[in-house]
Amino acid sequence: MANRQKSGQRILIVDDEKNYRIILAQLFTRVGYQVATAASVNECLAFFQHDCADLVLTDVYLAGADGLDLCQEIQLLTGGLPCIVFSACLPATDQRFGAVTGIIEYIAKPFDINELLAKVEQVLLTTV
């Protein structure tokens, strides 16, 4: 995948599983994005007190929290930051996608890296 204008784009990865944070951070850094990570909802919300991102990539099931609710909170803090959620299991009938939550895409775990990169690039191209 070509490095097209990614150097200025920042992705915040939120996952309570350390290995996923590390792997995803390495992947997105390698293709040219700036990356920040958060291990919890509190870390994520604290991040937005002093920093910004162009996209949030978060797990749906975080320790003691709901990633979908987190996306809605991010919308209140940022005024419309796009979110991509990933999970090993998310009911297809979940209706919390859309403008209120900022959730633009859902990716099933385990995910195909090329599919993940393509979805992130597509979201950033159409929303930033």
Side-chain angles (χ1 to χ4, degrees), residues 4 11 32 41 43 46 68 74 98 113 121 125 127:
R4 288 176 260 161
I11 299 170
V41 168
E43 278 187 35
L68 301 177
I74 290 168
I113 290 177
E121 185 171 355
L125 285 174
T127 61

mmCIF file of all heavy atoms in Angstrom, residues 4 11 32 41 43 46 68 74 98 113 121 125 127:
data_model
loop_
_atom_site.group_PDB
_atom_site.id
_atom_site.type_symbol
_atom_site.label_atom_id
_atom_site.label_comp_id
_atom_site.label_asym_id
_atom_site.label_seq_id
_atom_site.Cartn_x
_atom_site.Cartn_y
_atom_site.Cartn_z
ATOM 1 N N ARG A 4 0.371 7.480 0.965
ATOM 2 C CA ARG A 4 -0.259 8.641 0.354
ATOM 3 C C ARG A 4 -0.780 9.599 1.420
ATOM 4 O O ARG A 4 -1.833 9.368 1.993
ATOM 5 C CB ARG A 4 -1.430 8.208 -0.524
ATOM 6 C CG ARG A 4 -0.972 7.530 -1.782
ATOM 7 C CD ARG A 4 -2.157 7.040 -2.554
ATOM 8 N NE ARG A 4 -2.262 5.614 -2.243
ATOM 9 C CZ ARG A 4 -3.332 4.894 -2.416
ATOM 10 N NH1 ARG A 4 -4.415 5.412 -2.882
ATOM 11 N NH2 ARG A 4 -3.335 3.622 -2.110
ATOM 12 N N ILE A 11 -3.994 8.112 14.063
ATOM 13 C CA ILE A 11 -4.971 7.108 14.477
ATOM 14 C C ILE A 11 -4.773 6.835 15.961
ATOM 15 O O ILE A 11 -3.647 6.621 16.417
ATOM 16 C CB ILE A 11 -4.780 5.801 13.678
ATOM 17 C CG1 ILE A 11 -4.984 6.050 12.189
ATOM 18 C CG2 ILE A 11 -5.727 4.711 14.189
ATOM 19 C CD1 ILE A 11 -4.586 4.881 11.306
ATOM 20 N N GLY A 32 2.866 4.515 7.450
ATOM 21 C CA GLY A 32 2.988 5.961 7.377
ATOM 22 C C GLY A 32 2.063 6.798 8.231
ATOM 23 O O GLY A 32 2.106 8.026 8.155
ATOM 24 N N VAL A 41 -10.881 3.073 28.457
ATOM 25 C CA VAL A 41 -11.757 4.208 28.159
ATOM 26 C C VAL A 41 -11.180 5.470 28.798
ATOM 27 O O VAL A 41 -11.125 6.532 28.163
ATOM 28 C CB VAL A 41 -13.191 3.933 28.662
ATOM 29 C CG1 VAL A 41 -14.032 5.195 28.624
ATOM 30 C CG2 VAL A 41 -13.837 2.841 27.821
ATOM 31 N N GLU A 43 -8.075 6.218 29.589
ATOM 32 C CA GLU A 43 -6.895 6.677 28.839
ATOM 33 C C GLU A 43 -7.313 7.358 27.545
ATOM 34 O O GLU A 43 -6.733 8.362 27.151
ATOM 35 C CB GLU A 43 -5.962 5.509 28.525
ATOM 36 C CG GLU A 43 -5.041 5.131 29.639
ATOM 37 C CD GLU A 43 -4.033 4.074 29.217
ATOM 38 O OE1 GLU A 43 -3.568 4.079 28.045
ATOM 39 O OE2 GLU A 43 -3.716 3.215 30.050
ATOM 40 N N ALA A 46 -8.810 10.770 28.336
ATOM 41 C CA ALA A 46 -7.732 11.665 28.776
ATOM 42 C C ALA A 46 -6.907 12.140 27.577
ATOM 43 O O ALA A 46 -6.458 13.294 27.540
ATOM 44 C CB ALA A 46 -6.844 10.958 29.800
ATOM 45 N N LEU A 68 -18.643 0.814 22.027
ATOM 46 C CA LEU A 68 -19.649 1.563 21.272
ATOM 47 C C LEU A 68 -20.071 2.811 22.042
ATOM 48 O O LEU A 68 -20.218 3.893 21.457
ATOM 49 C CB LEU A 68 -20.852 0.675 20.972
ATOM 50 C CG LEU A 68 -20.542 -0.594 20.167
ATOM 51 C CD1 LEU A 68 -21.797 -1.439 19.987
ATOM 52 C CD2 LEU A 68 -19.911 -0.282 18.827
ATOM 53 N N ILE A 74 -16.794 10.000 22.484
ATOM 54 C CA ILE A 74 -15.809 10.673 21.627
ATOM 55 C C ILE A 74 -16.502 11.695 20.737
ATOM 56 O O ILE A 74 -15.983 12.796 20.516
ATOM 57 C CB ILE A 74 -15.011 9.640 20.799
ATOM 58 C CG1 ILE A 74 -14.077 8.842 21.713
ATOM 59 C CG2 ILE A 74 -14.232 10.308 19.678
ATOM 60 C CD1 ILE A 74 -13.464 7.618 21.065
ATOM 61 N N GLY A 98 -23.530 4.814 13.186
ATOM 62 C CA GLY A 98 -24.045 6.008 12.541
ATOM 63 C C GLY A 98 -23.601 7.303 13.187
ATOM 64 O O GLY A 98 -22.645 7.350 13.948
ATOM 65 N N ILE A 113 -5.396 -8.108 7.504
ATOM 66 C CA ILE A 113 -4.645 -6.851 7.591
ATOM 67 C C ILE A 113 -4.892 -5.972 6.381
ATOM 68 O O ILE A 113 -5.053 -4.755 6.506
ATOM 69 C CB ILE A 113 -3.145 -7.143 7.791
ATOM 70 C CG1 ILE A 113 -2.944 -7.699 9.195
ATOM 71 C CG2 ILE A 113 -2.304 -5.903 7.560
ATOM 72 C CD1 ILE A 113 -1.548 -8.107 9.531
ATOM 73 N N GLU A 121 -7.968 3.510 5.351
ATOM 74 C CA GLU A 121 -7.644 4.492 4.313
ATOM 75 C C GLU A 121 -8.919 5.076 3.697
ATOM 76 O O GLU A 121 -9.026 6.287 3.499
ATOM 77 C CB GLU A 121 -6.772 3.864 3.227
ATOM 78 C CG GLU A 121 -6.323 4.879 2.198
ATOM 79 C CD GLU A 121 -5.279 4.335 1.237
ATOM 80 O OE1 GLU A 121 -4.818 3.202 1.414
ATOM 81 O OE2 GLU A 121 -4.936 5.081 0.308
ATOM 82 N N LEU A 125 -9.934 8.979 3.846
ATOM 83 C CA LEU A 125 -10.070 9.721 2.590
ATOM 84 C C LEU A 125 -11.430 10.388 2.463
ATOM 85 O O LEU A 125 -11.540 11.467 1.864
ATOM 86 C CB LEU A 125 -9.836 8.795 1.387
ATOM 87 C CG LEU A 125 -8.394 8.404 1.111
ATOM 88 C CD1 LEU A 125 -8.331 7.369 -0.007
ATOM 89 C CD2 LEU A 125 -7.552 9.632 0.745
ATOM 90 N N THR A 127 -13.520 11.224 5.102
ATOM 91 C CA THR A 127 -13.984 12.007 6.248
ATOM 92 C C THR A 127 -13.032 13.126 6.668
ATOM 93 O O THR A 127 -13.430 14.016 7.377
ATOM 94 C CB THR A 127 -14.243 11.112 7.482
ATOM 95 O OG1 THR A 127 -13.033 10.481 7.849
ATOM 96 C CG2 THR A 127 -15.327 10.120 7.193
#
